[in-house]
Amino acid sequence: MHKKNIIAIIYDFDGTLSPQPMQEYTVFPQLKISPNKFWKEVKKENEDIKGEEIITYMMKMLKKAHAADLKISKADLGNMAAKIKYYPGVVYFFNRINKFVEKESGGEAKLRHYVISSGLKEILDKTKIKRYFHNIFASEYHYDVYKKPAYPKLVVTDTIKTQFLFRINKGKEKLSENINEFMEEAARPIPFSNIIYIGDGLTDVPCMTVTTMNGGYSIAVFNPKKRKSIQICKTLFKNARVDFIAEADYCKGRELDTYVKVILKTIIAGINHYTAQREMAKKRNVYK
Ligand SMILES: [Mg+2]
């Protein structure tokens, strides 16, 4: 039986922690291609071949890099990560919220942060905020013997993202572990009621729905400079896909910070309730 004292905040990356898709800070400038043109080409090609958009973008990026003679080994991609820009307050958010949970729960609850992204793990693994994450799940290339990316070996689509929610929930975070075996609620180390999912758009809908329908919490964040982004969040809220919507500003005292803390206090109250029940049961020998 787990203590159920672990809380997880799970973030999408592009548009959630960082304003633009990560490729736009990293690979595209080196390839000298306009993001708009690239994504349009991906959409068009994908319509023609009726494929999976993430595979199409990963293959197209590979082909363009090869054609331009740009090296994109794992190390090269990692080196580009420093160029990524973050929304206000992101860099300081994790430590600050960890301390909040520690104080609020009297050290009883432990907070973990995760990323689930359709972007590239090679880049995410080298970001300056990597050390705050318990785990990062993202798309990955397979590399040949010359360390060149050959093909996508892991593709994280909108719906595949939900698989990782269950991996976190069941404590089976290694991809080699079977996720479909039945596991009783009591045996799951991080119940959905201890999970907060933060995303920015329609690609997060499957994760938001799985989280909230299982008793967890979802927040949609928007870029205040983009009307479309604000509109998407309003629709998500109107359709009850998310509990809160807020500007993607992670600074102390801002709306997002307030909502995250409101949810965390609720989760911590649940953890304290569970702990008190267990102690009472022990005292009264209920389970003997
Ligand atoms: Mg996103």
Side-chain angles (χ1 to χ4, degrees), residues 12-18 116-118 161 197-204:
D12 163 58
F13 193 86
D14 296 337
T16 297
L17 295 174
S18 166
I116 308 179
S117 167
S118 299
K161 276 183 161 190
Y197 183 85
I198 306 181
D200 74 301
L202 294 176
T203 53
D204 297 298

Side-chain angles (χ1 to χ4, degrees), residues 180-225:
N180 295 327
E181 271 170 35
F182 176 74
M183 190 187 265
E184 274 186 45
E185 275 306 316
R188 300 185 184 204
I190 311 183
F192 273 98
S193 52
N194 286 13
I195 290 178
I196 305 173
Y197 183 85
I198 306 181
D200 74 301
L202 294 176
T203 53
D204 297 298
V205 164
C207 276
M208 287 166 169
T209 308
V210 165
T211 305
T212 48
M213 280 179 72
N214 284 288
Y217 306 85
S218 289
I219 302 176
V221 292
F222 59 83
N223 185 338
K225 290 180 191 146

Side-chain angles (χ1 to χ4, degrees), residues 227-241:
R227 259 174 74 185
K228 199 178 162 202
S229 167
I230 301 170
Q231 204 45 52
I232 288 171
C233 281
K234 281 185 178 171
T235 310
L236 288 171
F237 184 74
K238 214 161 86 187
N239 297 340
R241 308 266 205 196

Side-chain angles (χ1 to χ4, degrees), residues 47-272:
E47 271 167 25
D48 291 345
I49 62 169
K50 296 182 180 59
E52 168 51 58
E53 205 169 300
I54 311 286
I55 300 179
T56 309
Y57 108 70
M58 286 178 79
M59 285 310 293
K60 189 169 268 305
M61 214 164 81
L62 262 194
K63 280 183 203 154
K64 287 206 185 273
H66 285 171
D69 221 9
L70 176 73
K71 286 202 179 74
I72 52 167
S73 69
K74 204 181 245 182
D76 297 320
L77 286 170
N79 287 337
M80 297 178 200
K83 295 270 193 293
I84 292 177
K85 292 199 165 53
Y86 300 92
Y87 276 122
V90 164
V91 178
Y92 308 104
F93 181 75
F94 310 100
N95 258 341
R96 195 159 56 72
I97 293 296
N98 289 348
K99 280 189 193 134
F100 173 82
V101 167
E102 182 160 6
K103 196 168 165 220
E104 198 65 29
S105 72
E108 181 63 28
K110 301 272 171 271
L111 180 61
R112 287 182 187 172
H113 306 271
Y114 290 88
V115 165
I116 308 179
S117 167
S118 299
L120 295 178
K121 184 156 166 64
E122 292 86 337
I123 296 177
L124 289 172
D125 272 347
K126 297 291 174 197
T127 56
K128 61 178 173 185
I129 55 171
K130 148 90 165 93
R131 63 196 155 112
Y132 301 116
F133 299 113
H134 189 79
N135 212 340
I136 292 175
F137 303 103
S139 306
E140 262 178 276
Y141 287 113
H142 171 78
Y143 293 85
D144 65 18
V145 285
Y146 307 104
K147 296 186 175 167
K148 271 188 173 178
Y151 56 84
K153 73 166 179 185
L154 181 63
V155 177
V156 179
T157 65
D158 313 353
T159 45
I160 289 180
K161 276 183 161 190
T162 61
Q163 179 200 128
F164 298 103
L165 291 182
F166 286 104
R167 287 196 175 279
I168 295 165
N169 166 240
K170 291 181 164 182
K172 296 197 170 206
E173 295 181 18
K174 283 197 199 102
L175 262 69
S176 54
E177 291 177 289
N178 187 320
I179 188 69
N180 295 327
E181 271 170 35
F182 176 74
M183 190 187 265
E184 274 186 45
E185 275 306 316
R188 300 185 184 204
I190 311 183
F192 273 98
S193 52
N194 286 13
I195 290 178
I196 305 173
Y197 183 85
I198 306 181
D200 74 301
L202 294 176
T203 53
D204 297 298
V205 164
C207 276
M208 287 166 169
T209 308
V210 165
T211 305
T212 48
M213 280 179 72
N214 284 288
Y217 306 85
S218 289
I219 302 176
V221 292
F222 59 83
N223 185 338
K225 290 180 191 146
K226 291 184 184 166
R227 259 174 74 185
K228 199 178 162 202
S229 167
I230 301 170
Q231 204 45 52
I232 288 171
C233 281
K234 281 185 178 171
T235 310
L236 288 171
F237 184 74
K238 214 161 86 187
N239 297 340
R241 308 266 205 196
V242 292
D243 298 289
F244 295 103
I245 56 175
E247 181 183 336
D249 180 338
Y250 293 76
C251 294
K252 191 177 175 184
R254 303 288 293 166
E255 233 182 350
L256 179 61
D257 182 62
T258 310
Y259 295 148
V260 169
K261 285 176 179 167
V262 164
I263 300 173
L264 285 170
K265 279 187 179 178
T266 312
I267 295 175
I268 290 165
I271 292 172
N272 288 342

